[in-house]
Amino acid sequence: MKTALVHDWIINLGGAEKVLEAIYEIYPSPIYTLLSNKERLRGTIFEGAEIINSFIQKMPMAGKIYRNYLIFFPLAIEQFDLSSYDLIISSSHAVAKGVLRKTDQIHICYCHTPIRYGWDLYHVYMRESGLERGLRGVIAKIILHYIRIWDQATVNRVDYFVANSKYTEKRINKHYGKESVVIYPPVDVDCFELYTKKEDFYLTVSRMVPYKRIDIIVQAFNRIPERRLVIIGEGPTLKRIKSMARSNIEILGFQPFNVLKSYMKGARAFVFAAEEDFGIAPVEAMACGTPVIAYGKGGVIESVVKGRTGLFFDEQTPESVIRAVKDFERLADKMDPFEIRKNAERFSRERFKREFKEFVEEKTKGL
């Protein structure tokens, strides 16, 4: 069975790329993607992979401003000739699911989310990016209107959808009118060790993009200066986040895995403010025995057990975060690091590979 893998882009190795990595281990195949960053792939499983990039790779400063080429993404993904393959597996949070295929091919899409900035988080992106008014705003609205039309028009290019959470399953049904099967993403829980000696700081790890809402975490800790916050991650909003933070907030930017893991292990709690489709980082924190303080919507409510492995706050506001931090400090002693670790083990990499392989084999019988 000749297989092709399709992924939106491989610039940073985030949660979606960890899913792609696990799929690649099961089905080592050519990877088609809009663009990739060879420097970031060194020392990873993708270093020796056959990666086929689209024309986006050759656009000016594509590695840094590739999001500015959004209008070209649908065209670029449709230029890949996958006609020689029996099976197409796409890992999609933007346009990867829209590749062209023949009638006798099977296309399985692992859907991280229907395009966030086109659907549920459209107004958040427009507001946080300063695109609600002006000429740039008008252009952005026209482009995203086109993206929504294209996104729905390409739904039937997928034979089977796999969702990364029940939350995403509902959104696939709402926006695409399609049923899906939930297979939670792989988390490298074995790469994170249980650590019971917590230090006196809070941690958040995230890409710096608007919907992650790092801004409200910073605003919250600005108002409780006696508490220390560490932020790890990079992205378009990093400069803005740095300009907001006071002296009790340490912003480290991108960090290698060993540094990230040491902070995960030592943190008093992991703070998570996004309405995320699943959220791998909170599970990684729990694998270290670190409790999670999270916004109580999205996939995180499927991984965090309220009162036992973490707490939720009800609104994406600084006030709500502050209340949750103070509630956590009253209840922290009741949260057992061993139980927190055990909860994280439900989402292991081995479990994902087994479930995903069984699903693919079931759907490709006869190929």
Side-chain angles (χ1 to χ4, degrees), residues 51-292:
I51 298 179
I52 299 92
N53 299 300
S54 76
F55 65 79
I56 300 293
Q57 184 79 35
K58 298 179 181 180
M59 302 286 269
M61 297 180 66
K64 292 184 178 180
I65 63 168
Y66 60 93
R67 291 180 179 85
N68 291 0
Y69 298 121
L70 174 64
I71 186 65
F72 299 110
F73 286 4
L75 174 63
I77 208 72
E78 290 179 349
Q79 298 314 299
F80 290 132
D81 181 4
L82 306 181
S83 59
S84 63
Y85 298 97
D86 303 303
L87 171 65
I88 299 167
I89 300 175
S90 62
S91 163
S92 184
H93 56 79
V95 297
K97 75 167 182 57
V99 289
L100 298 176
R101 68 173 180 87
K102 299 188 301 180
T103 304
D104 58 352
Q105 292 174 304
I106 290 180
H107 179 182
I108 295 173
C109 173
Y110 189 92
C111 185
H112 305 278
T113 173
I115 304 176
R116 296 184 188 96
Y117 38 86
W119 298 106
D120 297 60
L121 298 178
Y122 168 74
H123 293 289
V124 172
Y125 268 91
M126 298 301 288
R127 182 171 58 253
E128 292 296 320
S129 301
L131 295 173
E132 291 182 297
R133 298 180 179 83
L135 180 60
R136 289 177 65 245
V138 171
I139 294 172
K141 290 170 186 176
I142 292 172
I143 291 173
L144 288 171
H145 178 70
Y146 156 68
I147 290 292
R148 279 191 294 273
I149 293 172
W150 179 87
D151 192 36
Q152 282 195 324
T154 59
V155 166
N156 288 326
R157 297 179 189 178
V158 176
D159 294 293
Y160 305 103
F161 278 98
V162 179
N164 64 355
S165 66
K166 294 176 182 177
Y167 175 69
T168 299
E169 177 187 26
K170 292 178 181 177
R171 295 178 63 227
I172 290 172
N173 185 262
K174 179 179 180 180
H175 297 306
Y176 298 159
K178 295 290 185 178
E179 299 298 320
S180 57
V181 171
V182 175
I183 300 178
Y184 289 117
V187 182
D188 287 323
V189 293
D190 291 338
C191 293
F192 294 86
E193 302 85 26
L194 174 66
Y195 193 75
T196 59
K197 297 179 181 179
K198 303 302 180 183
E199 301 174 37
D200 193 20
F201 70 90
Y202 292 85
L203 173 71
T204 190
V205 177
S206 175
R207 286 181 294 114
M208 298 295 166
V209 292
Y211 87 94
K212 295 290 189 177
R213 301 312 311 268
I214 304 302
D215 57 327
I216 68 168
I217 300 176
V218 169
Q219 290 169 19
F221 278 82
N222 279 344
R223 299 182 193 180
I224 45 175
E226 67 279 8
R227 293 169 177 85
R228 180 185 169 211
L229 172 68
V230 175
I231 301 175
I232 295 176
E234 62 180 353
T237 62
L238 178 60
K239 185 176 180 180
R240 175 173 173 259
I241 294 301
K242 284 184 175 180
S243 70
M244 294 169 56
R246 294 184 177 177
S247 59
N248 60 314
I249 300 173
E250 186 177 1
I251 301 175
L252 303 181
F254 171 80
Q255 293 296 319
F257 176 72
N258 62 323
V259 175
L260 182 151
K261 183 169 72 169
S262 68
Y263 279 97
M264 284 274 200
K265 291 166 63 176
R268 189 174 185 183
F270 185 90
V271 187
F272 190 74
E275 184 175 342
E276 188 62 274
D277 309 291
F278 176 72
I280 287 181
V283 180
E284 291 175 337
M286 288 188 289
C288 299
T290 300
V292 174

Side-chain angles (χ1 to χ4, degrees), residues 31-45:
I31 301 171
Y32 292 79
T33 187
L34 294 179
L35 73 163
S36 60
N37 184 330
K38 290 185 178 180
E39 294 296 321
R40 288 285 169 85
L41 301 185
R42 288 180 180 174
T44 74
I45 192 174

Side-chain angles (χ1 to χ4, degrees), residues 278-349:
F278 176 72
I280 287 181
V283 180
E284 291 175 337
M286 288 188 289
C288 299
T290 300
V292 174
I293 302 171
Y295 177 50
K297 285 190 177 181
V300 72
I301 65 174
E302 300 171 43
S303 62
V304 175
V305 181
K306 183 178 179 180
R308 301 179 72 89
T309 71
L311 291 177
F312 299 116
F313 51 93
D314 298 328
E315 298 176 333
Q316 288 177 311
T317 63
E319 294 79 11
S320 194
V321 173
I322 292 170
R323 285 194 298 270
V325 168
K326 293 180 177 179
D327 287 343
F328 165 76
E329 290 175 353
R330 288 192 292 269
L331 299 172
D333 292 342
K334 297 180 181 179
M335 296 185 189
D336 181 3
F338 293 92
E339 182 179 356
I340 294 172
R341 164 74 190 191
K342 186 176 180 180
N343 178 62
E345 291 172 352
R346 297 188 291 137
F347 305 97
S348 72
R349 190 181 189 87

